């Protein structure tokens, strides 16, 4: 197993900090991962090692406004303009790089939380080139809700400026997440039942920060787009999709993951699998049952790879 990291030049004077975990054996397939809000790709080392041992490569980049990529930008900001388009295009850029490094290797896309929304936006235009997709800790709600939330974000941006960090948005989005886990030990108990993993997150200066009003506007506009049935119908109906999450995840509440899987199925997808883990919270890969989750993920990759979809066309 080989672990490395590199800078990948992107658009608008941005460079992405990319981690890669490569197996010592011939590569079965590559997994491209998009991480969640207020975290970074370096937190996926355990997954990278497990995938490499199973013969899979993992590429994961610090998204704009996150991790080391934010060293060349602003922490908590995708971009001053067209941030959503930029982060989606970054996936296309990294996919192209992977194709050059591993020609012919099947490619899987995995997104966690915020990354799952960006992954869905990517699927609208690039799903035919993928072997499968994994959406972890995701969500699905009516487009009207996201439009209303975006109005609040725009009002906060007008009040504080686009680089402001709204306490109101923070409260509306995350304020209730810890309620189900009282008495609370930290503000992030909702992430995992494993206190050591929660403490790692709290102690990490690149985790748990408050995002900018501009990022929230970009994100909510993106959510409104990807939640429309006519857009979901653009995804290749034969693409294997795994929707996974914890039944006690306050982001998805189990029900919203079922709604997402149902919406994908109604949009025409024939290969949607929903896997919910009892008692698990938001970060499945940092949960107390993470070894089982990782084993299940690798089993799904093996099954999806065995379907033998056509080789990548981009």
């Amino acid at each position: 197993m080989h672990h490395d990291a590199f800078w990948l030049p992107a658009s608008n004077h941005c460079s992405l900090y990319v981690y890669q975990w490569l197996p010592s054996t011939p590569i079965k397939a590559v997994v491209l991962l998009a991480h969640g809000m207020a975290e970074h790709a370096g937190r996926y080392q355990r997954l990278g090692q497990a995938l490499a041992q199973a013969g899979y490569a993992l590429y994961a980049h610090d998204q704009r406004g996150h991790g080391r990529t934010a060293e060349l930008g602003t922490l908590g900001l995708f971009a001053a303009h067209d941030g959503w388009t930029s982060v989606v295009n970054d996936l296309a850029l990294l996919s192209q790089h992977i194709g050059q490094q591993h020609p012919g290797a099947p490619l899987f896309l995995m997104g966690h939380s915020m990354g799952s929304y960006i992954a869905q936006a990517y699927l609208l235009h690039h799903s035919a080139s993928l072997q499968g997709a994994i959406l972890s800790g995701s969500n699905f709600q009516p487009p009207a809700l996201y439009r209303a939330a975006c109005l609040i974000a725009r009002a906060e941006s007008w009040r504080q400026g686009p680089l402001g960090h709204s306490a109101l948005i923070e409260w509306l989005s995350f304020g209730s997440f810890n309620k189900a886990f009282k008495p609370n030990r930290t503000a992030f108990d909702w992430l995992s039942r494993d206190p050591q993993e929660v403490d790692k997150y709290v102690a990490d200066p690149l985790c748990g920060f408050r995002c900018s009003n501009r990022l929230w506007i970009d994100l909510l506009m993106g959510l409104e787009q990807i939640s429309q049935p006519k857009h979901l119908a653009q995804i290749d109906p034969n693409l294997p999709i795994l929707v996974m999450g914890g039944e006690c995840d306050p982001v998805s509440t189990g029900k919203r993951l079922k709604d997402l899987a149902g919406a994908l199925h109604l949009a025409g997808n024939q290969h949607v699998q929903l896997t919910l883990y009892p008692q698990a919270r938001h970060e499945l890969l940092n949960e107390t049952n993470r070894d089982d989750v990782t084993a299940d993920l690798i089993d799904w990759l093996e099954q999806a790879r065995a379907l033998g979809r056509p080789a990548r066309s981009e």
Side-chain angles (χ1 to χ4, degrees):
M1 193 272 291
H2 174 64
H3 167 232
D4 200 0
F6 59 92
W7 290 98
L8 182 66
S11 62
N12 300 323
H13 311 289
C14 175
S15 288
L16 307 174
Y17 193 74
V18 185
Y19 297 83
Q20 62 178 14
W21 291 267
L22 305 177
S24 54
T25 55
I27 291 175
K28 296 178 179 178
V30 180
V31 178
L32 168 56
L33 185 143
H35 66 73
M37 177 183 282
E39 62 154 345
H40 57 89
R43 302 182 69 231
Y44 292 82
Q45 179 173 346
R46 189 160 47 213
L47 175 65
Q49 292 173 338
L51 288 176
Q53 290 173 0
Y56 292 86
L58 176 65
Y59 282 75
H61 62 296
D62 286 345
Q63 302 208 62
R64 293 172 190 247
H66 293 75
R68 293 201 60 188
T69 295
E71 293 176 8
L72 305 178
T74 301
L75 193 66
L77 175 72
F78 287 153
H81 304 284
D82 297 324
W84 181 255
T85 300
S86 296
V87 292
V88 176
N89 286 346
D90 288 343
L91 285 178
L93 176 68
L94 188 48
S95 172
Q96 183 181 39
H97 174 84
I98 291 169
Q100 294 169 350
Q101 298 300 310
H102 311 286
L107 180 66
F108 290 90
L109 176 62
M110 180 175 182
H112 171 68
S113 197
M114 179 190 77
S116 75
Y117 313 139
I118 297 170
Q120 287 175 66
Y122 182 85
L123 292 180
L124 300 185
H125 302 287
H126 302 280
S127 56
S129 67
L130 296 170
Q131 189 71 22
I134 304 106
L135 305 175
S136 166
S138 196
N139 200 333
F140 184 82
Q141 297 193 72
L145 186 145
Y146 297 125
R147 284 194 290 269
C150 193
L151 290 175
I152 296 173
R154 289 185 183 280
E156 287 295 270
S157 181
W158 176 83
R159 185 178 68 88
Q160 293 182 321
L163 296 182
H165 300 83
S166 170
L168 174 61
I169 296 176
E170 184 85 1
W171 180 79
L172 290 173
S173 54
F174 300 109
S176 64
F177 284 2
N178 245 5
K179 287 183 179 178
F181 311 111
K182 289 183 177 180
N184 301 138
R185 192 179 62 86
T186 76
F188 297 99
D189 291 0
W190 56 275
L191 290 176
S192 171
R193 291 169 291 176
D194 188 332
Q196 291 185 341
E197 293 299 321
V198 173
D199 287 346
K200 287 180 186 177
Y201 182 92
V202 172
D204 191 330
L206 294 176
C207 287
F209 54 87
R210 188 177 291 176
C211 288
S212 69
N213 295 327
R214 181 67 249 180
L215 183 147
W216 277 108
I217 293 171
D218 288 331
L219 178 60
L220 291 164
M221 290 175 62
L223 282 164
E224 192 269 337
Q225 176 193 53
I226 64 174
S227 60
Q228 296 183 40
K230 66 179 181 180
H231 290 159
L232 290 176
Q234 297 174 218
I235 299 174
D236 182 352
N238 295 311
L239 179 74
I241 300 178
L242 172 63
V243 178
M244 59 191 298
E247 286 190 340
C248 293
D249 178 2
V251 175
S252 58
T253 66
K255 176 187 182 303
R256 293 174 188 164
L257 285 180
K258 294 176 183 177
D259 291 343
L260 174 59
L264 290 166
H265 183 73
L266 285 174
N269 192 279
Q270 305 298 311
H271 299 283
V272 180
Q273 177 179 322
L274 173 64
T275 302
L276 295 176
Y277 293 90
Q279 304 303 314
R281 302 180 189 178
H282 187 54
E283 293 190 342
L284 287 179
L285 296 170
N286 293 321
E287 260 289 4
T288 53
N289 62 327
R290 55 183 169 263
D291 291 343
D292 292 337
V293 172
T294 302
D296 291 345
L297 174 59
I298 292 172
D299 285 346
W300 183 87
L301 290 171
E302 292 286 331
Q303 294 170 23
R305 192 170 62 88
L307 293 176
R309 282 168 60 82
R312 297 178 61 194
S313 58
E314 57 179 48

